[in-house]
């Protein structure tokens, strides 16, 4: 069945190789000081400055961004082809870069279909192609390091008919430095879709994906160990060549293959079934034992979050630093480069958590509507909650998560123009941001910010129950954001139509003013925002008796007042900081940065402490690594992304503003 | 800093100019008497000068390691005292003081940015100058639940003692 797919950014080869990972943890955990010290980190997450996916490029190549009219007509989003099975038989020698791939493809037409596209490494071309009952011709063009091949089929394959395509491609791989889909220069050689393996492009829906079965035969010089993104069936050798056979009963079209060659040491991760391993270059074992320990912790966490285990074992490939390939995840395989060791153990582990989470969010579950929020956004969300649970459980988790989400908040509010970032649900794939930092902020930050906003509203239990249901219903199935909404509504008992309309299908950043008058047993709270929507959020009320109460409120447009009877006067009333990336709140009292309704010495200290901080380093404005998560936007009273004398001046100008006695 | 001081001075002078109270009593017997003995960490008031129309006090820190900032409120009789100005010690690059209501001083001092904090023990944090409307006894007390001292690591210094005092006739 058709699924759709994401421009996985980390290489132009799009696909569902997820990655944002490391980047996230980095900025949040390490702050800008460390980020600036690591020049190898990519501009975006997943390692690619250019965020546009190969498939998005393909859409432009194929039909200048406009979807052709299928004959007979089909609903929007329906691809021309359903892939059923693909078998690869690859011979490759990394030393010479000479490679060939004999491909057997079984597809079924959803309409009268006459073409099929694929990306290959620019050094690889079509050797032969045929299909019984059809004449198949190929044309090629070089695009950004790829050879884009169009197969033309005559007569067209009739709707609902199947075609068996026999294809051979081959040549000398370029695998240019910085080219993500393949690399032969490092100690670990890697080959993904878009190299000797075709990266398939549906002519009607370039972002579409299917569930299909695959088999891979790899023939490589005998000195190499081989790991592929499938289950190993057989290994043979004749002393010159090692032949391995791999099979997957179901994969998504957009992440069909990942293969690595090298001299490997394989470490078994204890306690996980099916067998899960960490694979590293035998000469560079550093961090490998850590990855074993982290994987033993991360995968159970993600399994619990998803509500069910993965259908495959996982090989974690510890990569050396490879330009253009810092990491990703695919079917039963997670890649992560040593680049992120600069983050220190906790940050490195969190990046691995992001990548492992993609084994669910992207590898087995992929929304079929044009959005990435349930792939990259959910992976970013998962990594932060993993770190919170495993390294900060003894802290105030609400406060911890609030600070962590400053990465998203500053990315949305300062680093990019919030007025120009598209909605999470795109009108079409071509409207995805194509540059950095916009793509990363949109796909990873905005997606995870809205998820955190949602989770804070519905609560952890309902959110996780919905995730479980989403995974159960949507693994290897065509689901959309509407399906996700239905699961969250079922779990929470809330009508979330308004929420999704406001934050998924359109965009709002409500500016919320928070005021209150303490009462003997609580507070009268006055809220007002500037958007024509209902804004639901959790208020945190700090009481004079030291207790902290949390209350959900729904704030309609216009002035809104509500009261709380909590047993003691309220001292502070503020939104949960986990909303901050989406709801830009301020005290109703100018200069009050602590939300106690008064301007005093505590506000002065808060503002003074922030003095000199910037939301992001303008010298690095093309990357999310420029964001400083120690910057507190509530202190940026003049809203210019800098905390300085101007903000302090707002505090002093309004100093000693007290509520009426 | 001078900007803040100038601002406060203007405000407090204006307030003092409104007084119709009778002239102060004899200066010779009118003094500031600090509060009882205390244990560090603490912040106290120390008398510097009492004249017929002016009271000068210091806010003094005791046993405060890596002090980043202090926020406090002082209450006093508004018909006797009014803030004239606050002058912070040089270490405190951000400061503000103003009467939030008659008889209620709201004040704060702080380092800025990456200020590493200051070890304070017996040092004056600020000097407060009040206009004295009349030499009548009155207490000057910290509003303890609205006062706090913060360390460089961002945490509130625990177990603080706040010690005010009184203007008394001897």
């Amino acid at each position: 069945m058709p699924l759709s797919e994401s421009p996985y950014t980390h290489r132009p080869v799009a696909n569902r190789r997820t990655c944002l990972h490391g980047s996230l943890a980095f900025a949040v955990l390490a702050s800008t000081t460390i980020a600036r010290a690591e020049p190898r980190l990519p501009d975006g997450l997943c390692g690619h400055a250019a965020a546009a996916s190969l498939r998005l490029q393909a859409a432009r190549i194929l039909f200048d961004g406009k979807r052709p009219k299928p004959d007979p007509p089909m609903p929007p989003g329906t691809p021309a082809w359903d892939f059923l099975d693909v078998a690869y038989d690859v011979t490759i020698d990394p030393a010479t870069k000479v490679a060939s791939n004999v491909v057997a493809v079984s597809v079924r037409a959803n309409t009268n279909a006459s073409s099929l596209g694929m990306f290959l490494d620019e050094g690889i071309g079509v050797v032969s192609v045929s299909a019984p009952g059809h004449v198949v011709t190929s044309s090629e063009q070089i695009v950004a390091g790829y050879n884009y091949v169009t197969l033309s089929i005559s007569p067209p394959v009739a709707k609902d008919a199947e075609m068996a395509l026999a294809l051979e491609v081959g040549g000398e791989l370029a695998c240019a430095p910085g080219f993500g889909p393949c690399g032969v220069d490092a100690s670990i050689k890697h080959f993904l879709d878009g190299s000797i393996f075709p990266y398939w492009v549906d002519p009607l829906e370039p972002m579409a994906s299917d569930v299909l079965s695959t088999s891979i035969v790899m023939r490589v010089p005998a000195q190499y160990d081989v790991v592929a993104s499938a289950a190993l069936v057989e290994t043979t050798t004749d002393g010159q060549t090692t032949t391995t056979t791999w099979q997957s009963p179901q994969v998504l079209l957009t992440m069909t293959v990942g293969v690595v060659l090298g001299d490997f040491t394989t470490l078994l991760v204890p306690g996980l079934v099916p067998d899960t391993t960490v694979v590293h270059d035998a000469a560079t074992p550093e961090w490998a034992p850590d990855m074993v320990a982290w994987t033993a912790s991360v995968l159970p966490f993600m399994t619990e979050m998803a509500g069910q285990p993965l259908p495959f074992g996982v090989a974690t490939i510890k990569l050396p630093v490879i330009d253009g390939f810092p990491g990703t995840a695919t079917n039963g395989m997670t890649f992560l480069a040593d680049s992120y060791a600069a983050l220190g153990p906790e940050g490195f582990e969190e990046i691995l958590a992001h990548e492992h989470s993609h084994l669910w969010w992207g590898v087995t579950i992929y929304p079929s509507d044009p959005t990435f929020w349930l792939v990259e956004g959910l992976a970013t969300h998962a990594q932060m909650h993993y770190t919170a649970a495993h390294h900060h459980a003894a802290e105030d988790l609400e406060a911890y998560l609030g600070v962590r989400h400053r990465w998203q908040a500053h990315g949305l509010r300062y680093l990019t123009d919030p007025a120009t970032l598209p909605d999470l649900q795109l009108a079409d794939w071509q409207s995805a941001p194509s540059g950095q930092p916009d793509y990363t902020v949109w796909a990873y930050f905005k997606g995870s910010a809205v998820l955190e906003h949602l989770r804070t509203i519905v609560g952890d239990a309902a959110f996780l129950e919905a995730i479980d249901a989403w995974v159960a219903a949507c693994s290897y199935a065509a689901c959309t954001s509407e399906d996700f909404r239905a699961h969250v509504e079922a779990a929470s008992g809330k009508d979330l139509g308004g929420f999704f309309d406001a934050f998924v299908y359109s965009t709002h950043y409500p500016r919320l003013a928070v005021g209150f008058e303490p009462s003997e047993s609580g507070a009268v709270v006055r809220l007002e925002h500037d958007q024509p929507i209902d804004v639901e959020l959790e208020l945190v009320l700090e009481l004079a008796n030291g207790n902290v109460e949390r209350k959900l409120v729904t704030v309609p447009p216009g002035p809104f007042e509500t009261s709380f009877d909590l047993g003691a006067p309220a001292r502070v009333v503020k939104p949960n900081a986990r909303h901050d990336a989406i709801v830009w709140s301020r005290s109703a009292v100018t200069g009050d940065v602590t939300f106690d309704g008064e301007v005093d010495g505590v506000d002065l200290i808060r503002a003074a402490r922030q003095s000199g901080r910037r939301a992001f380093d303008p010298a690095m404005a093309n990357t999310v690594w420029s964001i400083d998560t120690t910057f507190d936007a509530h202190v940026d009273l003049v809203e210019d992304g800098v905390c300085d004398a101007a903000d302090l001046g707002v505090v002093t100008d309004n100093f000693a503003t007290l509520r009426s006695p | 800093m001078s900007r803040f001081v100038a601002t406060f001075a203007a405000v407090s002078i204006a307030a003092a100019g409104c007084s119709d109270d009778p002239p102060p009593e004899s200066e010779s017997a009118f003094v500031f008497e600090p509060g009882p003995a205390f244990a560090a960490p603490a912040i106290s008031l120390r008398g510097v000068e009492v004249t017929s129309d002016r009271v000068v006090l210091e806010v003094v820190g005791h046993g405060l390691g890596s002090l980043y900032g202090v926020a406090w409120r002082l209450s006093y009789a508004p018909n006797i005292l009014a803030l004239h100005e606050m002058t912070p010690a040089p270490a405190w690059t951000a400061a503000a003081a103003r009467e939030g209501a008659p008889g209620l001083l709201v004040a704060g001092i702080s380092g800025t940015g990456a200020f590493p904090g200051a070890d304070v023990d017996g040092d004056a944090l600020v000097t407060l100058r009040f206009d004295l409307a009349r030499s009548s006894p009155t207490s000057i007390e910290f509003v303890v639940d609205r006062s706090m001292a913060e360390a460089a690591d961002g945490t509130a210094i625990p177990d603080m003692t706040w010690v005010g005092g009184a203007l008394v006739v001897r």
Side-chain angles (χ1 to χ4, degrees), chain A residues 218-301:
Chain A
M218 292 295 299
R219 305 173 196 276
V220 304
Q223 72 265 29
Y224 290 107
D225 300 319
V226 182
V227 180
S229 57
L232 179 62
V233 176
E234 182 180 41
T235 300
T236 62
T237 181
D238 61 6
Q240 298 293 314
T241 301
T242 296
T243 301
T244 54
T245 302
W246 312 77
Q247 289 185 340
S248 285
Q250 54 182 3
V251 300
L252 296 175
L253 179 64
T254 49
M255 36 73 66
T256 57
V257 180
V259 174
V260 290
L261 311 181
D263 177 14
F264 295 145
T265 296
T266 299
L267 305 175
L268 186 66
V269 179
L272 298 183
V273 177
D275 281 353
T276 292
T277 58
V278 170
V279 177
H280 66 89
D281 172 37
T284 55
E286 298 81 10
W287 293 103
D290 301 278
M291 285 191 173
V292 170
W294 299 340
T295 297
S297 175
V298 168
L299 287 179
F301 176 87

Side-chain angles (χ1 to χ4, degrees), chain A residues 571 596 598-602 604-606 608-609 611 648-649 652-656 658, chain B residues 4 68-71 73 98 100 104 106 108 110-113 145-146 150-152 154:
Chain A
R571 277 287 180 83
D596 66 351
E598 301 187 333
V599 185
D600 60 12
V602 180
L604 180 84
I605 296 170
R606 293 289 178 276
R609 192 182 279 279
S611 184
L648 202 53
T652 55
D653 288 349
N654 294 279
F655 200 76
L658 306 181
Chain B
F4 301 148
Y68 193 92
V70 184
R73 297 185 189 186
R98 187 175 289 166
L104 180 63
V106 181
S110 181
T112 51
D145 68 347
R146 287 294 189 173
E150 191 168 290

Side-chain angles (χ1 to χ4, degrees), chain A residues 383-396:
Chain A
Q383 75 175 71
M384 288 185 167
H385 280 268
Y386 170 78
T387 298
H390 280 260
H391 293 291
H392 300 274
E395 302 175 22
D396 177 348

